[in-house]
Amino acid sequence: MIRSSRNAHLLSSSLKSLAAFTRSQSTAAAATTSNRSIFNAAAAAGPLRPTISPFTRRCYASGTTSASASASAAAASRDRRSRKILAYLTAVVFAMVGCTYAAVPLYRRFCQATGYGGTVQRRESVEEKIARHSRDGTTTSRELVVQFNADVADGMPWKFTPTQREVRVKPGESALAFYTAENRSSAPITGISTYNVTPMKAAIYFNKIQCFCFEEQRLLPGEQIDMPVFFYIDPEFETDPKMDGINNIMLSYTFFKVGEE
């Protein structure tokens, strides 16, 4: 009797355990089915996208606009600076070209006004001096040696030489000399010359009657010309104590290129 009661108790416990296991399996299956439904719904809905608030969007748009405006302003500033530099360089180039063309006539006027570089100052014309000394019957006995020199500036493809190295003349006399210029380039070139007299203190007595200085000379390729210099030594040279010991005078010319075709 006691054994039968124990068996009934064991059977009842087993049935309860089986019922509990069945319920747990049912719950797990239901959870799995629910999870699969959620996954399928998510897959059908497409990939998840982050949600951006309107404030965040405004901030991003404002930052992008500000960066773009800063870049545009910097580019505009660089462009203005480049234009200013270009305008400055262009002005410098034109100024240099203008100074090149104006240098010779300005130098001529300056030297004639001041006597700088041994250039003769024009206070009295040569004809007036010759006429005056002829009326006075001025005579001289001192002999001077006038030497000639020729140079060309850098970039001037000319051969420029004096035809004679020197002439001997007395104060109160006139003399004629020649220079020769030859264009050794393959293009026509226009040149202009400046001159000076040394010693500088003797320049006031050296008068050019005819000269090619400060006048444009145009030579074709291979062309050669002779250019005269007709000058007169003032007889007052002999009576000026400052001229004591000066027996040689140097006349120098330098040719510059002012145009090329």
Side-chain angles (χ1 to χ4, degrees):
M1 185 68 179
I2 294 171
R3 185 176 294 175
S4 298
S5 177
R6 288 179 178 174
N7 290 336
H9 180 71
L10 290 173
L11 179 60
S12 176
S13 298
S14 298
L15 290 175
K16 289 180 180 180
S17 297
L18 180 61
F21 176 75
T22 301
R23 283 195 302 271
S24 65
Q25 290 296 320
S26 298
T27 304
T32 301
T33 301
S34 177
N35 290 337
R36 286 178 180 174
S37 299
I38 293 173
F39 177 77
N40 291 335
L48 295 176
R49 296 180 181 178
T51 302
I52 302 176
S53 67
F55 176 77
T56 304
R57 287 185 181 142
R58 286 195 298 272
C59 290
Y60 176 77
S62 176
T64 303
T65 303
S66 177
S68 177
S70 299
S72 299
S77 177
R78 287 193 299 270
D79 184 63
R80 287 194 299 270
R81 188 160 50 249
S82 299
R83 290 178 181 274
K84 288 182 180 179
I85 294 174
L86 179 60
Y88 173 77
L89 294 177
T90 302
V92 169
V93 170
F94 277 104
M96 292 177 65
V97 172
C99 288
T100 300
Y101 281 97
V104 172
L106 290 176
Y107 176 78
R108 175 182 57 189
R109 293 181 181 180
F110 171 74
C111 291
Q112 289 180 348
T114 63
Y116 177 80
T119 302
V120 179
Q121 293 177 276
R122 301 291 184 180
R123 294 191 181 92
E124 183 181 23
S125 70
V126 179
E127 291 78 8
E128 292 171 346
K129 287 183 179 181
I130 293 175
R132 177 167 57 84
H133 289 296
S134 178
R135 289 193 305 267
D136 296 343
T138 306
T139 59
T140 60
S141 59
R142 183 177 177 181
E143 187 177 66
L144 300 175
V145 177
V146 179
Q147 298 173 316
F148 304 95
N149 179 65
D151 295 297
V152 292
D154 291 340
M156 182 61 159
W158 282 12
K159 179 182 179 182
F160 179 50
T161 57
T163 304
Q164 63 291 302
R165 288 298 176 185
E166 63 182 37
V167 297
R168 296 180 179 273
V169 63
K170 293 180 179 180
E173 295 180 347
S174 59
L176 180 65
F178 287 90
Y179 282 79
T180 301
E182 179 184 0
N183 181 4
R184 293 191 166 184
S185 72
S186 59
I189 292 180
T190 300
I192 194 169
S193 66
T194 60
Y195 80 97
N196 59 32
V197 177
T198 54
M200 292 176 60
K201 61 183 179 179
I204 59 174
Y205 298 113
F206 190 95
N207 302 271
K208 291 188 283 64
I209 301 173
Q210 181 181 355
C211 177
F212 56 87
C213 56
F214 305 117
E215 295 180 357
E216 292 188 356
Q217 308 290 334
R218 183 178 183 272
L219 297 183
L220 298 175
E223 183 179 3
Q224 178 178 309
I225 59 171
D226 292 327
M227 296 171 288
V229 179
F230 192 34
F231 62 91
Y232 168 78
I233 305 296
D234 193 321
E236 294 178 4
F237 181 95
E238 186 168 335
T239 58
D240 188 348
K242 295 180 181 178
M243 299 299 108
D244 290 346
I246 298 178
N247 298 311
N248 293 75
I249 296 176
M250 175 75 73
L251 175 62
S252 299
Y253 285 89
T254 302
F255 253 106
F256 299 84
K257 182 171 69 174
V258 296
E260 181 176 354
E261 298 179 10

